[in-house]
Structures are given as structure tokens and as C-alpha cells.
Amino acid sequence: VEWFRKVVQSRLDFADFSPQNMSNFVWGLATLSWRNDNLVLAVGREASRKIQDFIPQELSNFTWALATLDLCDNLMLRAVAEEVERREDEVLTWDPQSLSNMMWAFATLAVKDDPLFRRLLDGSIARIADHDTQNMANSSWASAMVCFRCSRWLNAVAQGAVAKISENSPLHLAQLSFAFARFQFKAERHGLFPAVLEETLRRIKDFAAQSLFDVHDALTFFEIAMPKGNAIERTLTDYYEALVRQMEAFAARCARKPPSREDMANYRKTIEQMDIVTLGGCHTTAFLRHFGMLCSSGDPFIQGARKQIQDHRAEEAARDPVSRSLFHRAQCAWQLGAQGQMGGALADGVFESGEPKFGGPEKHDLVVVRLRHPREGDAEVQALCAALNTSLLRNGQGAPPGVVLN
């Protein structure tokens, strides 16, 4: 720690650093979770000047470090993308891990660059025989996160993943399941999902809860026949019911008296330790129905809300064709009014994930749990805060008779 402080205080200009020095330096900072934005950006400025001298591994390590530090250095990332373009033919010979790490980094930072992903996936396809399961899973996950669909890559991965199915870790199977489901690519001729099902059943005890939810979500999405009363569904039912019990117990206590800070901290810790971020379509529907939050399929609100979100995305796309609103940020539409009367809404709107507004959830006595990332700015929380900030609900007494919040 003291050594890093002295480096920061010395204000190096890094002009004497070689590409390897710079790459190793920021990689070390990221590995030690030592974040100093000004320091890393200074290295990035010098690195962008010398970008043509970087070898693939150094480009990979540098971008990996930026993503691990959650630092979107646009100057350096643009330099990397342009250098990949300059070496387009050479990319076909790059090692799979460097290709995979670069895609993972751009996707983690939510930077959408279709030409970059096309070139990196072309290189990956050329070296598919040399990919291990981690590289295939990470690259597939990354391309899905930025919505860059390449059928040639998906076919190559499906074939490779089935051939090495027993080498895939549960996380790899979950990443592949997520990616192929997001692309609606069933890979039937390769038998990918029957193989995933068989391998999951064989090693179910090795699966973390979230990985199992992700695999199950893809299996149900693609309508893969599963044995009745299988271990996957039994295990997920246990996870789901335990989560619901914890939430209902906390809600019951809050109904009797406002929770103390200790109560809120204990609740957050309990939920976070479950390490479940998403439940998948099947269990999310069950969750919303259980708590009376699921609109009927014929409710006019659904059609109107979808149009609001589509219009919002169209406006963002007109301003920026690679806006994160199109592939990364979630949107949530809300309406306060009489049930089934979209046109007669008392208040409505669309919010997307971002900085908390309307004072954030704490202002409205909402207890938000951190699931991998802070959730105070999630689209659904933003929309709920906006509704609670209206004059009808601001008194904290609940909705007046006849008023419904969707």
C-alpha cells in the first residue's frame, strides 16, 4: 500500500514505460483492487500513444484491468478498437484468451462496438479448436451482453461446447445458456441443450443458485423436455421458496413497526448471501403472481407500456446509435390510475437504470438490497420512487380507493 502511495505522489508521466510495463502496471492495480482513476487514465494516455507497439496479450491485460476497475477509459478503448481494425488480418492468429478477454472487458464496461466484436469473433472462429471452455463461455456471454449476434460463432461454440461438455464448469454452462437464450439460438443440430441438461443433472450439487436459475431459464425458453420432478426444478423450488419466506417475514415485521437500521442490515445480508440476482422467466412470473404484482395478459397497460419503452429507446437511438439504453440499461414503465385505463392515467412515465432520482429509495423508506451491484438506481426502483413522489401517494398512507399502481 505504501509503495503505491509513493507512486501516486511521484506523479509519473509514464513516458519511459514500455507497453509491457504499462500493461503489467494497470493489471497489478486491478488485481490488487487498488483504484486511482487519475493514475490509470494517465497510463492510458501514454498507452494510446504507443498502441501500435502493444502485443495482443498486453492489449488484453490492459482492457481487462479497466473492466475490473470499472473504469471506462474511452481514449484507451478507442485506441484498442482502432488498433484491432489496423491489424484485422493479424487478428486471425491471435491467441483465444486475448480475444476473449478483450470482448469480456468491452462488454463489462457496456461499450458496444460492432466492428470490434466482428473482428474479434472472426479471430475466435479461426482459432476455435484452441479455445478452452472458459474462453468460449466468456466470449459468448460478452457478445450477448452487447447484442452482437454472429451465427457462425454460435454454431462453432455449440459444436465445441458439446464436444467438451464435461469440461465446462457450472458457470460456463450458465453463461452459454444465457447467451444462446438471449440470441434465441437453439443450436438444435449440435444438440447443445440436451447436453447441457444431462450435464447439469449429473453435477447439480456443484451449481451455485444463480447458475442453476440461468440454465433452467434457457431450458424452459427452448422447451427442452425435462424429466418430471427432476432435481433441477426441486432444487430451484427450494431456493425460490426460501427467498419468498425471507421477504414475507421481513415485510410482516415492517408492517408491525418500522425496521431499525440493524433490521435492514440483517435483511440485506440474508438476501445477499443467497447470491440470487435473477430468477428467470418461470420463477419471476411465479414471484410476481405470488405477491399480486402480475398484470393480466389482457390489461391495456401492458401494450401501452411496451410502446412507451419502444418510443423511449427510439429517441435514445436517434441521439446515439450505440446508446446503452438500447442494450444495457433496463427500462420500466409505470402508471398510476384506474385499472385498465391507460389513456386516463393520473400519472405515468418511463425510467431507466441510472442515478437515483426523487431522493432515492431511502426517502420513501424502501429497503433495497445490493445484488452483485448497487440497486438503488434500478429502473423498477426509479419508477416506484416516482410513483411514491406523486401527491396521491406522498403521504405514505397507500393508494386511495380505486387507484392502482402498475
mmCIF file of all heavy atoms in Angstrom, residues 63-80:
data_model
loop_
_atom_site.group_PDB
_atom_site.id
_atom_site.type_symbol
_atom_site.label_atom_id
_atom_site.label_comp_id
_atom_site.label_asym_id
_atom_site.label_seq_id
_atom_site.Cartn_x
_atom_site.Cartn_y
_atom_site.Cartn_z
ATOM 1 N N THR A 63 -7.134 -3.876 -21.175
ATOM 2 C CA THR A 63 -8.591 -3.730 -21.197
ATOM 3 C C THR A 63 -9.234 -4.513 -20.052
ATOM 4 O O THR A 63 -10.220 -4.057 -19.460
ATOM 5 C CB THR A 63 -9.168 -4.191 -22.547
ATOM 6 O OG1 THR A 63 -8.724 -5.521 -22.830
ATOM 7 C CG2 THR A 63 -8.727 -3.261 -23.657
ATOM 8 N N TRP A 64 -8.671 -5.684 -19.752
ATOM 9 C CA TRP A 64 -9.187 -6.458 -18.608
ATOM 10 C C TRP A 64 -9.085 -5.647 -17.322
ATOM 11 O O TRP A 64 -10.004 -5.642 -16.492
ATOM 12 C CB TRP A 64 -8.404 -7.757 -18.466
ATOM 13 C CG TRP A 64 -8.803 -8.581 -17.279
ATOM 14 C CD1 TRP A 64 -9.777 -9.524 -17.226
ATOM 15 C CD2 TRP A 64 -8.250 -8.507 -15.942
ATOM 16 N NE1 TRP A 64 -9.872 -10.058 -15.961
ATOM 17 C CE2 TRP A 64 -8.951 -9.446 -15.148
ATOM 18 C CE3 TRP A 64 -7.237 -7.746 -15.361
ATOM 19 C CZ2 TRP A 64 -8.667 -9.634 -13.799
ATOM 20 C CZ3 TRP A 64 -6.965 -7.929 -14.009
ATOM 21 C CH2 TRP A 64 -7.664 -8.869 -13.240
ATOM 22 N N ALA A 65 -7.957 -4.954 -17.145
ATOM 23 C CA ALA A 65 -7.765 -4.149 -15.935
ATOM 24 C C ALA A 65 -8.780 -3.021 -15.862
ATOM 25 O O ALA A 65 -9.353 -2.748 -14.791
ATOM 26 C CB ALA A 65 -6.344 -3.588 -15.912
ATOM 27 N N LEU A 66 -9.040 -2.344 -16.981
ATOM 28 C CA LEU A 66 -10.030 -1.263 -16.985
ATOM 29 C C LEU A 66 -11.397 -1.785 -16.560
ATOM 30 O O LEU A 66 -12.098 -1.153 -15.761
ATOM 31 C CB LEU A 66 -10.112 -0.628 -18.373
ATOM 32 C CG LEU A 66 -8.891 0.163 -18.852
ATOM 33 C CD1 LEU A 66 -9.098 0.636 -20.291
ATOM 34 C CD2 LEU A 66 -8.616 1.363 -17.938
ATOM 35 N N ALA A 67 -11.781 -2.943 -17.114
ATOM 36 C CA ALA A 67 -13.091 -3.506 -16.773
ATOM 37 C C ALA A 67 -13.149 -3.934 -15.316
ATOM 38 O O ALA A 67 -14.158 -3.731 -14.631
ATOM 39 C CB ALA A 67 -13.403 -4.687 -17.692
ATOM 40 N N THR A 68 -12.076 -4.540 -14.827
ATOM 41 C CA THR A 68 -12.041 -4.991 -13.440
ATOM 42 C C THR A 68 -12.119 -3.813 -12.480
ATOM 43 O O THR A 68 -12.726 -3.899 -11.406
ATOM 44 C CB THR A 68 -10.763 -5.813 -13.184
ATOM 45 O OG1 THR A 68 -10.742 -6.922 -14.092
ATOM 46 C CG2 THR A 68 -10.708 -6.337 -11.763
ATOM 47 N N LEU A 69 -11.521 -2.690 -12.867
ATOM 48 C CA LEU A 69 -11.574 -1.471 -12.053
ATOM 49 C C LEU A 69 -12.849 -0.665 -12.300
ATOM 50 O O LEU A 69 -13.073 0.356 -11.649
ATOM 51 C CB LEU A 69 -10.359 -0.590 -12.357
ATOM 52 C CG LEU A 69 -9.001 -1.142 -11.914
ATOM 53 C CD1 LEU A 69 -7.878 -0.298 -12.526
ATOM 54 C CD2 LEU A 69 -8.886 -1.161 -10.393
ATOM 55 N N ASP A 70 -13.682 -1.129 -13.251
ATOM 56 C CA ASP A 70 -14.907 -0.422 -13.628
ATOM 57 C C ASP A 70 -14.592 1.014 -14.039
ATOM 58 O O ASP A 70 -15.267 1.963 -13.638
ATOM 59 C CB ASP A 70 -15.921 -0.437 -12.479
ATOM 60 C CG ASP A 70 -17.314 0.011 -12.940
ATOM 61 O OD1 ASP A 70 -17.599 -0.114 -14.143
ATOM 62 O OD2 ASP A 70 -18.093 0.495 -12.083
ATOM 63 N N LEU A 71 -13.570 1.173 -14.863
ATOM 64 C CA LEU A 71 -13.128 2.489 -15.320
ATOM 65 C C LEU A 71 -13.199 2.522 -16.844
ATOM 66 O O LEU A 71 -12.422 1.857 -17.534
ATOM 67 C CB LEU A 71 -11.698 2.773 -14.845
ATOM 68 C CG LEU A 71 -11.081 4.094 -15.296
ATOM 69 C CD1 LEU A 71 -11.940 5.275 -14.851
ATOM 70 C CD2 LEU A 71 -9.665 4.232 -14.750
ATOM 71 N N CYS A 72 -14.121 3.286 -17.366
ATOM 72 C CA CYS A 72 -14.330 3.354 -18.812
ATOM 73 C C CYS A 72 -13.431 4.453 -19.393
ATOM 74 O O CYS A 72 -13.846 5.604 -19.529
ATOM 75 C CB CYS A 72 -15.798 3.630 -19.117
ATOM 76 S SG CYS A 72 -16.232 3.378 -20.847
ATOM 77 N N ASP A 73 -12.212 4.079 -19.743
ATOM 78 C CA ASP A 73 -11.243 5.000 -20.334
ATOM 79 C C ASP A 73 -11.494 5.025 -21.848
ATOM 80 O O ASP A 73 -10.937 4.234 -22.609
ATOM 81 C CB ASP A 73 -9.822 4.524 -20.026
ATOM 82 C CG ASP A 73 -8.753 5.445 -20.585
ATOM 83 O OD1 ASP A 73 -9.107 6.387 -21.334
ATOM 84 O OD2 ASP A 73 -7.563 5.233 -20.289
ATOM 85 N N ASN A 74 -12.338 5.956 -22.279
ATOM 86 C CA ASN A 74 -12.759 5.982 -23.676
ATOM 87 C C ASN A 74 -11.601 6.198 -24.641
ATOM 88 O O ASN A 74 -11.599 5.646 -25.748
ATOM 89 C CB ASN A 74 -13.825 7.056 -23.891
ATOM 90 C CG ASN A 74 -15.157 6.683 -23.261
ATOM 91 O OD1 ASN A 74 -15.626 5.570 -23.407
ATOM 92 N ND2 ASN A 74 -15.761 7.607 -22.527
ATOM 93 N N LEU A 75 -10.609 6.988 -24.231
ATOM 94 C CA LEU A 75 -9.456 7.235 -25.090
ATOM 95 C C LEU A 75 -8.708 5.933 -25.375
ATOM 96 O O LEU A 75 -8.398 5.613 -26.526
ATOM 97 C CB LEU A 75 -8.522 8.256 -24.442
ATOM 98 C CG LEU A 75 -7.232 8.573 -25.209
ATOM 99 C CD1 LEU A 75 -7.564 9.272 -26.524
ATOM 100 C CD2 LEU A 75 -6.305 9.448 -24.356
ATOM 101 N N MET A 76 -8.426 5.167 -24.335
ATOM 102 C CA MET A 76 -7.690 3.920 -24.498
ATOM 103 C C MET A 76 -8.531 2.868 -25.212
ATOM 104 O O MET A 76 -8.042 2.142 -26.080
ATOM 105 C CB MET A 76 -7.221 3.405 -23.136
ATOM 106 C CG MET A 76 -6.413 2.116 -23.209
ATOM 107 S SD MET A 76 -4.945 2.271 -24.254
ATOM 108 C CE MET A 76 -4.264 0.618 -24.105
ATOM 109 N N LEU A 77 -9.793 2.773 -24.868
ATOM 110 C CA LEU A 77 -10.661 1.787 -25.506
ATOM 111 C C LEU A 77 -10.805 2.064 -27.007
ATOM 112 O O LEU A 77 -10.810 1.144 -27.825
ATOM 113 C CB LEU A 77 -12.033 1.775 -24.838
ATOM 114 C CG LEU A 77 -12.067 1.263 -23.384
ATOM 115 C CD1 LEU A 77 -13.459 1.450 -22.795
ATOM 116 C CD2 LEU A 77 -11.646 -0.199 -23.295
ATOM 117 N N ARG A 78 -10.911 3.335 -27.361
ATOM 118 C CA ARG A 78 -10.983 3.680 -28.776
ATOM 119 C C ARG A 78 -9.679 3.326 -29.477
ATOM 120 O O ARG A 78 -9.669 2.812 -30.602
ATOM 121 C CB ARG A 78 -11.298 5.181 -28.922
ATOM 122 C CG ARG A 78 -11.277 5.752 -30.342
ATOM 123 C CD ARG A 78 -12.022 4.933 -31.366
ATOM 124 N NE ARG A 78 -13.339 4.491 -30.898
ATOM 125 C CZ ARG A 78 -14.033 3.505 -31.433
ATOM 126 N NH1 ARG A 78 -13.511 2.813 -32.438
ATOM 127 N NH2 ARG A 78 -15.210 3.170 -30.967
ATOM 128 N N ALA A 79 -8.555 3.580 -28.816
ATOM 129 C CA ALA A 79 -7.252 3.243 -29.396
ATOM 130 C C ALA A 79 -7.136 1.731 -29.625
ATOM 131 O O ALA A 79 -6.616 1.287 -30.654
ATOM 132 C CB ALA A 79 -6.128 3.731 -28.482
ATOM 133 N N VAL A 80 -7.630 0.950 -28.678
ATOM 134 C CA VAL A 80 -7.588 -0.508 -28.820
ATOM 135 C C VAL A 80 -8.439 -0.945 -30.011
ATOM 136 O O VAL A 80 -8.011 -1.765 -30.841
ATOM 137 C CB VAL A 80 -8.078 -1.200 -27.529
ATOM 138 C CG1 VAL A 80 -8.276 -2.699 -27.756
ATOM 139 C CG2 VAL A 80 -7.097 -0.961 -26.391
#
